Amino acid sequence: MAAVSQTPVSLRELPRLRTRHIGQIGGLMRPGTHRSPLLEFGERFVVSPPGFPTMLVTHDMDDVRELFANHDDFSIGQVLSRFSSHDVMFGKQTLIFLDGDEHRRERRLFAPPFQNKALRSYEDLMVEVVQRELPSWPVGEPFEFLKAGYDLAIGVLLGVVFGDVAPARRDRLKQAVSRWFGEIESRGFLAVTLLTPLVGGLTLPYPPLSRRQSEVDAIIIEEIAARRATPGDGDDRKDVLSRYVGTELDQHDDVALARNMRGILLGAYETTAITLGWIAAMLAGHPHAMAELDTAADAGDHARLDAYLDAAVAETMRLRPVSPFTGRRALRDTVVNGIHIPKGAIVIVPILLIHESPRHYSDPMDFRPERFLDDRPNGHTWLTFGAGPHRCLGAQFALAEARILFRTVLQHRRIDCAPGSVEPPRRYHTGLSPAHNARITLRPR
């Protein structure tokens, strides 16, 4: 008997969220997703706000797997362009905005500095950054670890991406990057980014940001030119830029290479700092986890300390992923797990809802690093870095960095425990950031 083909399900046939209830989607983006009334819809529902593309919100894991595996019919860059100002900050020619063969090619070029062999060469730098910053942190009184996280993040990133730069140029670069980040976080640019989704994804011109980006790019181009002028000097260098200039990976002009180096800084800066802040807040709020780390640190058992830190980092990222959702926009009419997705529609995956689901994790609301001691995070249900061809290129780097930085901190300091609820995420923030900047108290070890 011939197989009977099934007609794909239309989005019109799925449960639909009324426009007046659209604010309830916010409940899927903050801890406690299990309380959302939207769960009454089941694993899928459709929402079509006026002036926005039609969106399918799904946490059906078969849908999610097929979506992430489909490299040719969907774009993550178009979602970012429609709902944020990322295209202005990064540039539309950077990796996250590319699709299909062009994305595959660029990813192959930029992957080597973030793979395991390269990661090992960055460890000494990460330890050095902590040792440099640590003396400035107060001991015996509360302070905001999120701010320390930003200092650690920029210290590591400038060292990893650029390595040893002539002192005068290094200082100019650090100041230019600081001014650029300041403009990104300014109220003026925040107002522009809030308007972007409301005007069809168009980010209005913001000259102060453009000037700051140009300043950063000019100094990076200067550094690239200096390295091209002395090609033999980079043979022993291990920074990211040196892994491109004058090598077989060097397939961009200097302007494009500078833009990509700047994109690496931006992509990792805030996410790294926020994650470090959450790790500190989670450890301070859970004495059982701190006791395990203190025991390992006091005994000088580096293997035990690293193993538990890896688990604690993974558990923190499960409960507080910096981005609680992700999405893809259909480049053409296509089908995902038997559902017809028309061109232009957006599929939203609520990452935090999946992370908090009892289907995937026992006692999902509990902070329990032990769940990851023997089993690494499952790439299908632990989605902090996304999945599929667009999974974050720096995922392994971020995990190793968090472990190394906190290992070094804990070898010199203890974190006071304050049992009880961990501080909530900040309101009016597109991601999950600690509302009180991860206030903790350190003690000498």
Side-chain angles (χ1 to χ4, degrees):
M1 175 183 272
V4 179
S5 62
Q6 293 185 337
T7 303
V9 175
S10 166
L11 294 184
R12 291 191 299 271
E13 300 175 59
L14 298 177
R16 184 169 293 267
L17 178 66
R18 294 185 178 184
T19 301
R20 67 173 179 267
H21 295 146
I22 194 170
Q24 294 178 352
I25 291 180
L28 301 180
M29 311 303 173
R30 292 292 182 266
T33 57
H34 59 286
R35 295 188 293 267
S36 171
L38 299 182
L39 296 184
E40 295 177 6
F41 283 128
E43 294 183 307
R44 306 182 186 111
F45 65 88
V46 175
V47 58
S48 299
F52 287 81
T54 295
M55 290 177 275
L56 167 65
V57 180
T58 179
H59 54 107
D60 177 288
M61 296 313 298
D62 290 329
D63 294 356
V64 173
R65 276 189 283 270
E66 280 201 24
L67 176 71
F68 287 152
N70 189 327
H71 193 273
D72 298 313
D73 295 336
F74 289 95
S75 168
I76 189 172
Q78 287 198 14
V79 176
L80 295 172
S81 295
R82 182 60 184 80
F83 291 104
S84 75
S85 300
H86 279 59
D87 51 345
V88 172
M89 293 187 290
F90 285 91
K92 287 190 174 180
Q93 297 307 309
T94 49
L95 182 65
I96 58 173
F97 288 96
L98 301 179
D99 300 304
D101 290 340
E102 196 174 10
H103 176 266
R104 281 187 281 266
R105 174 185 172 278
E106 288 293 292
R107 192 175 178 92
R108 282 195 296 270
L109 287 179
F110 282 95
F114 301 99
Q115 293 171 343
N116 285 332
K117 182 178 179 181
L119 293 181
R120 289 191 288 272
S121 68
Y122 305 140
E123 182 164 348
D124 289 346
L125 167 68
M126 294 176 184
V127 171
E128 179 186 320
V129 169
V130 175
Q131 292 174 338
R132 184 174 67 234
E133 296 292 336
L134 197 65
S136 66
W137 300 347
V139 174
E141 61 184 79
F143 82 112
E144 297 174 349
F145 194 82
L146 179 60
K147 294 182 179 180
Y150 279 111
D151 291 335
L152 292 174
I154 194 60
V156 169
L157 283 168
L158 288 176
V160 166
V161 176
F162 299 107
D164 292 326
V165 177
R169 187 179 298 129
R170 180 191 61 216
D171 291 343
R172 287 167 49 222
L173 177 60
K174 187 173 182 179
Q175 292 166 9
V177 168
S178 178
R179 290 192 295 267
W180 173 48
F181 284 147
E183 209 60 69
I184 289 172
E185 295 164 0
S186 69
R187 290 185 177 182
F189 189 62
L190 175 61
V192 169
T193 60
L194 291 175
L195 285 173
T196 295
L198 304 177
V199 292
L202 172 67
T203 297
L204 301 176
Y206 191 69
L209 180 65
S210 300
R211 287 195 294 270
R212 297 308 186 195
Q213 288 184 170
S214 296
E215 290 171 5
V216 174
D217 287 354
I219 298 170
I220 297 175
I221 289 170
E222 225 180 273
E223 179 65 17
I224 294 171
R227 297 192 190 191
R228 293 200 190 285
T230 54
D233 290 354
D235 292 348
D236 296 326
R237 300 176 65 116
K238 300 187 186 330
D239 58 89
V240 173
L241 182 59
S242 291
R243 295 175 191 271
Y244 292 104
V245 174
T247 74
E248 68 277 5
L249 301 177
D250 192 359
Q251 299 182 24
H252 298 84
D253 61 30
D254 290 1
V255 172
L257 184 56
R259 184 176 58 238
N260 280 300
M261 294 300 106
R262 175 167 54 79
I264 292 172
L265 293 178
L266 179 59
Y269 173 63
E270 186 171 42
T271 54
T272 297
I274 290 175
T275 297
L276 295 176
W278 278 126
I279 294 168
M282 285 291 187
L283 293 177
H286 295 89
H288 75 281
M290 270 315 309
E292 173 62 26
L293 291 170
D294 281 338
T295 298
D298 288 340
D301 190 339
H302 292 178
R304 181 179 175 183
L305 182 59
D306 278 359
Y308 200 84
L309 275 173
D310 278 336
V313 169
E315 181 72 338
T316 300
M317 290 181 171
R318 180 183 72 84
L319 289 169
R320 297 293 186 272
V322 173
S323 179
F325 66 96
T326 188
R328 303 288 189 271
R329 191 170 194 178
L331 299 171
R332 57 189 65 85
D333 287 0
T334 188
V335 175
V336 170
N337 192 31
I339 302 171
H340 177 256
I341 310 294
K343 179 181 177 180
I346 292 175
V347 183
I348 299 293
V349 177
I351 291 173
L352 186 59
L353 176 60
I354 292 170
H355 285 187
E356 291 185 346
S357 171
R359 295 186 182 184
H360 310 307
Y361 299 96
S362 60
D363 302 315
M365 303 307 294
D366 292 348
F367 179 76
R368 205 172 71 211
E370 290 76 12
R371 74 176 84 242
F372 293 124
L373 276 178
D374 297 320
D375 298 308
R376 295 171 64 97
N378 182 324
H380 295 301
T381 58
W382 188 85
L383 300 170
T384 297
F385 297 105
H390 279 277
R391 186 174 189 265
C392 175
L393 191 63
Q396 290 304 116
F397 177 90
L399 291 167
E401 178 185 27
R403 169 179 24 91
I404 294 165
L405 294 178
F406 266 91
R407 179 218 298 152
T408 310
V409 170
L410 292 174
Q411 286 170 338
H412 298 86
R413 297 285 188 270
R414 299 180 186 274
I415 298 176
D416 265 5
C417 288
S421 60
V422 175
E423 66 185 79
R426 194 185 310 277
R427 299 180 69 185
Y428 313 118
H429 192 282
T430 53
L432 295 179
S433 179
H436 309 304
N437 293 334
R439 289 180 66 82
I440 65 168
T441 300
L442 296 176
R443 305 283 179 186
R445 183 172 297 281

